[in-house]
Amino acid sequence: MKPRIAIIISTTRDTRIGDKAARWIADAAESHSEFEAEIVDIRDFDLPFFNEPASNRWVPSKDPAALRWQKKIGEFDGYIFVTAEYNHSISGALKNALDQAYVEWNRKAAAFVGYGGVGGARAVEHLRGICSELQMMSVQSAIHVGGADFMGIMQGQKSFSDLSYMDPMINGMFADLLWWVKALKTARAATAAG
């Protein structure tokens, strides 16, 4: 079975461009026969603010929306977080979604596509630390859409499809992610077999 990768849209605003960025990455992923990619939009899960007794690392969650989110996230072998930068960090919606699961993220690989004034670099750096605490392996390579490209997309003068010069970087990110996904999937299977 091919590894499954979730491309997670991390913003929920009506005026977001995260859905366009995720579609751009999903379109690029379609040419890779070694893995299957699926866009997962946190907006579709209507997650409440985290209000469980504890992380599901320690206590099973009770909220039906959280359980549905955990089940969905658990289907994947790795993740590509498509993240905007909000005030030098990730969106509150993404942080809440990350907090709503724990076990499902463990020992899986994560890659990042950031966008914003400095390519979402500060958001991605914050996200790397969160992923580490959730026991995810974050790959070194990432995609950053900033500056004139980001402003052109925001103002409707450009689209993500105009960024074909990034194709080699995207393919490199996919290669790094796939390597870690395969390694961690093998290790998880060995651990489960005992």
Side-chain angles (χ1 to χ4, degrees), residues 65-120:
L67 294 170
R68 191 167 70 91
W69 172 249
Q70 291 165 6
K71 182 178 179 197
K72 187 62 177 176
I73 291 305
E75 294 175 6
F76 298 98
D77 301 300
Y79 310 97
I80 299 172
F81 292 94
V82 178
T83 185
E85 184 168 311
Y86 286 12
N87 300 313
H88 290 204
S89 190
I90 61 174
S91 71
L94 176 57
K95 179 63 168 78
N96 186 55
L98 288 160
D99 291 343
Q100 295 282 0
Y102 185 91
V103 176
E104 295 76 14
W105 302 117
N106 287 182
R107 298 177 178 169
K108 296 180 182 177
F112 311 96
V113 176
Y115 56 92
V118 291

Side-chain angles (χ1 to χ4, degrees), residues 84-160:
E85 184 168 311
Y86 286 12
N87 300 313
H88 290 204
S89 190
I90 61 174
S91 71
L94 176 57
K95 179 63 168 78
N96 186 55
L98 288 160
D99 291 343
Q100 295 282 0
Y102 185 91
V103 176
E104 295 76 14
W105 302 117
N106 287 182
R107 298 177 178 169
K108 296 180 182 177
F112 311 96
V113 176
Y115 56 92
V118 291
R122 295 167 294 208
V124 167
E125 285 308 304
H126 279 188
L127 190 48
R128 287 181 190 278
I130 296 165
C131 287
S132 177
E133 181 59 26
L134 293 171
Q135 299 188 46
M136 281 186 264
M137 170 59 209
S138 67
V139 303
Q140 185 273 333
S141 54
I143 306 302
H144 297 280
V145 179
D149 289 331
F150 171 68
M151 290 308 295
I153 291 166
M154 284 294 295
Q155 295 169 355
Q157 300 156 345
K158 283 187 173 186
S159 71
F160 283 99

Side-chain angles (χ1 to χ4, degrees), residues 20 23-24 27 153 158-165 167:
K20 294 175 182 70
R23 181 76 263 155
W24 172 55
D27 289 346
I153 291 166
K158 283 187 173 186
S159 71
F160 283 99
S161 62
D162 294 325
L163 308 183
S164 59
Y165 74 90
D167 290 350

